[in-house]
Amino acid sequence: MTDANRPPVTVNGRDYPFPRVPAIAICLDGCEPAYLTEASAKGLTPTLDRMVAQGTARTAHSVIPSFTNPNNLSIATGRPPAVHGICGNYLFDPTTGEEVMMNDIRFLRAPTIFSAFQTAGAKVAVVTAKDKLRALLGAGLDCSGGRGFCFSSEKSDTTTTAEHGIDNASAWLGRPVPEVYSADLSEFVFAAGVKLLAEDRPDLMYLTTTDYIQHKFAPGEAEADAFYEMFDGYLAQLDAMGAAIVVTADHGMKPKHGADGQPNVIYVQDLLDDWLGKGAARVILPITDPYVVHHGALGSFATAYLPEGANAGEITARLAALPEMLEVVDKATAVARYDLPEDRIGDVVMISTENMTIGTSAHRHDLAALKEPLRSHGGLTEQAVPFIVNRPVPDLADAPDLRNFDAFQIATTAAAKG
């Protein structure tokens, strides 16, 4: 059966045409649209500029919370967190009283587009910068038979053919394992994508980066411009090999500091301790992950578990009245408004204003590792992301109807046309 005659692949209630040429989605972690605007204005992104002019360019919305794991898994499943279950990097289990990282496949509640396509006979490749995402993105993939590749830059020297599809990806690519806190971690992803496309020509490929540069540097700063100039060079190579490509992001990025360069933080655990008694409520910051040098575990989204008998409506109203808060809603409203899994969020959901972050208690945040003024994400003000296609897509909607997790729907549809 030729690719043109293959039936669509159905996963999580959506149909994806089987591609005739490789279909690629690229997630530029933390890519606030202004980064591309600034780099383009300086003539640093000719490939992206051509895609905008001759293909399709829109703004899409990420899922809320606008964090890495929820959005990567939404792109990977084509659905919001209510379906796939990953609603943060970090989770509180009220039944055990434990706070755990949500990077294990046991937390994933839906199959990925990648596993569904491989089952349908496609060759699939997934390359991520940080290893924290690899297991989730690779759930259900068989990388032992030459039709699956899934590895990270971070652990590229430990890959095996049986588990990742390539033995020692670092040696295979001819690049050393990059430092986690560097632009090199993302460049490794792009370089690996180019080599995979040239040598193995996967039907479906996902490349997802790290937002180290975006946390450190604002749009238009030299280091940020250099990152997007570097990316554009690899994008040119992917485009030249005939792939249908969608470039999007998991979330944007905003400054979260005052004029003095100090982080803007409201410590909600301290507030709730004052209101309800010390330790009676529990504030969870889903941005929490092992890479705190990026953000000090400070983002613009948080959830709180209240003690039995607490007046949730009153607490919600008191929090909503704070000038640091953009939106504070109860669980039912958050589930309906943001497509979140009800059993994995607290009684109250908080989203701070554009230049504010939410912390737990002041003594619990070690901000000594933050060498530059804080830039972070998680809220509504970081929901707008670029959505650029290297093919014309007639009548493609814009945000809020267009979501970043439509990336593979658009990429495979374009790739099915050749």
Side-chain angles (χ1 to χ4, degrees):
M1 183 183 298
T2 66
D3 290 346
N5 296 323
R6 290 185 189 235
V9 175
T10 300
V11 56
N12 300 321
R14 301 185 75 172
D15 293 334
Y16 297 84
F18 204 98
R20 297 173 61 189
V21 300
I24 302 175
I26 300 172
C27 177
L28 296 174
D29 196 349
C31 187
E32 183 72 26
Y35 284 109
L36 302 185
T37 303
E38 290 286 343
S40 173
K42 296 167 185 170
L44 302 177
T45 54
T47 306
L48 271 171
D49 292 347
R50 178 169 48 79
M51 287 172 59
V52 169
Q54 300 177 9
T56 306
R58 299 285 189 274
T59 298
H61 272 180
S62 75
V63 304
I64 296 294
S66 50
F67 293 141
T68 295
N69 284 17
N71 279 280
N72 270 272
L73 270 298
S74 285
I75 294 171
T77 61
R79 289 298 186 188
V83 175
H84 60 70
I86 306 300
C87 55
N89 304 336
Y90 202 62
L91 171 73
F92 175 61
D93 184 348
T95 61
T96 64
E98 295 182 343
E99 300 178 21
V100 296
M101 288 297 298
M102 207 186 308
N103 56 3
D104 191 284
I105 61 172
R106 65 191 171 95
F107 294 114
L108 185 61
R109 293 173 169 170
T112 68
I113 297 166
F114 315 130
S115 64
F117 263 89
Q118 188 182 58
T119 299
K123 184 183 290 187
V124 177
V126 177
V127 187
T128 174
K130 295 177 186 173
D131 204 61
K132 71 173 185 178
L133 270 174
R134 181 189 57 80
L136 288 169
L137 295 175
L141 271 184
D142 179 4
C143 294
S144 64
R147 291 193 303 109
F149 306 90
C150 186
F151 57 91
S152 71
S153 307
E154 182 182 7
K155 303 290 185 182
S156 54
D157 62 338
T158 65
T159 63
T160 65
T161 302
E163 185 177 353
H164 309 89
I166 291 175
D167 188 49
N168 194 335
S170 175
W172 164 80
L173 191 58
R175 286 175 173 265
V177 178
E179 162 62 38
V180 168
Y181 299 114
S182 72
D184 295 340
L185 201 71
S186 293
E187 183 169 4
F188 190 105
V189 173
F190 301 140
V194 168
K195 187 174 174 69
L196 282 166
L197 186 60
E199 295 182 355
D200 294 281
R201 202 159 180 85
D203 300 293
L204 204 73
M205 184 158 67
Y206 184 47
L207 306 176
T208 179
T209 67
T210 174
D211 56 3
Y212 172 72
I213 288 293
Q214 292 74 17
H215 273 289
K216 286 175 69 71
F217 303 108
E221 291 193 54
E223 294 86 349
D225 286 343
F227 178 88
Y228 290 100
E229 182 178 25
M230 173 270 290
F231 164 63
D232 197 80
Y234 288 103
L235 182 64
Q237 296 178 66
L238 295 170
D239 182 60
M241 286 186 269
I245 304 170
V246 171
V247 177
T248 189
D250 51 353
H251 55 76
M253 188 76 67
K254 292 293 198 305
K256 307 286 184 179
H257 58 84
D260 61 356
Q262 294 303 303
N264 289 334
V265 192
I266 179 170
Y267 292 106
V268 177
Q269 185 69 60
D270 290 341
L271 284 176
L272 294 181
D273 285 351
D274 288 342
W275 297 351
L276 299 171
K278 189 170 181 61
R282 174 93 66 129
V283 175
I284 300 296
L285 308 178
I287 194 174
T288 305
D289 67 12
Y291 310 93
V292 293
V293 170
H294 284 27
H295 46 62
L298 294 172
S300 290
F301 181 99
T303 185
Y305 291 81
L306 303 180
E308 187 175 350
N311 188 327
E314 178 185 334
I315 297 299
T316 300
R318 289 184 72 178
L319 289 167
L322 297 170
E324 295 90 346
M325 295 297 181
L326 181 63
E327 186 163 288
V328 181
V329 296
D330 61 22
K331 175 187 285 196
T333 302
V335 166
R337 188 172 295 176
Y338 302 124
D339 288 315
L340 296 171
E342 183 177 13
D343 61 329
R344 290 183 174 174
I345 62 170
D347 302 296
V348 180
V349 165
M350 299 158 272
I351 297 176
S352 61
T353 53
E354 180 171 327
N355 303 122
M356 180 61 57
T357 62
I358 302 171
T360 53
S361 300
H363 73 275
R364 292 177 60 185
H365 290 268
D366 180 7
L367 305 182
L370 294 175
K371 305 303 182 187
E372 287 82 19
L374 179 64
R375 299 176 54 76
S376 196
H377 53 95
L380 291 164
T381 55
E382 295 82 44
Q383 193 176 22
V385 295
F387 196 100
I388 302 170
V389 192
N390 70 338
R391 304 279 201 279
V393 183
D395 304 318
L396 183 63
D398 216 322
D401 295 326
L402 182 64
R403 309 301 299 272
N404 59 354
F405 60 77
D406 294 323
F408 277 108
Q409 182 85 71
I410 301 304
T412 55
T413 299
K417 299 174 182 177

